[in-house]
Amino acid sequence: QVQLVESGGGLVQPGGSLRLSCAASGSIRGIETMAWYRQAPGNQRELVASITRGGSTNYADSAKGRFTISRDNAKNTVYLQMNSLKPEDTAVYYCNADIWQLYIWSLKNFWGQGTQVTVSS
């Protein structure tokens, strides 16, 4: 069994910063790409940023220059540092990861439960 648990969401004023964390736990043999997605009310879930096991990153245009994704492979944890936040960043943010589980020889995709980020004055 594998779980992804996000933390760090909350209410922040425009221009402020938040740091999201997502820790993977359970019967993990290895983790490939880890990513952050977000979903605002009435919108589809969209990719915010991703990072490979080797550290290569990819960002949505809306995140470039403001958000930074990073990971600690020893802790099976991915982070999203969000700066210069805007009201349009308000959404539920979800962690996603491609994980090799113990005793299972295929890569499986997992989602966290989501953490709310609200940017408002």
Side-chain angles (χ1 to χ4, degrees), residues 5-75:
V5 179
E6 299 107 332
S7 61
L11 173 64
V12 64
Q13 292 187 339
S17 298
L18 280 176
R19 188 191 193 211
L20 306 183
S21 300
C22 170
S25 62
S27 55
I28 296 171
R29 186 158 53 88
I31 304 178
E32 300 296 335
T33 298
M34 304 184 81
W36 288 96
Y37 286 75
R38 68 185 182 187
Q39 187 168 20
N43 289 359
Q44 289 188 333
R45 192 171 297 189
E46 62 179 6
L47 176 69
V48 177
S50 65
I51 184 167
T52 66
R53 182 200 290 250
S56 296
T57 59
N58 179 55
Y59 293 93
D61 287 343
S62 59
K64 288 178 182 176
R66 298 188 301 126
F67 296 180
T68 302
I69 189 170
S70 61
R71 64 190 284 176
D72 184 331
N73 291 332
K75 295 182 179 179

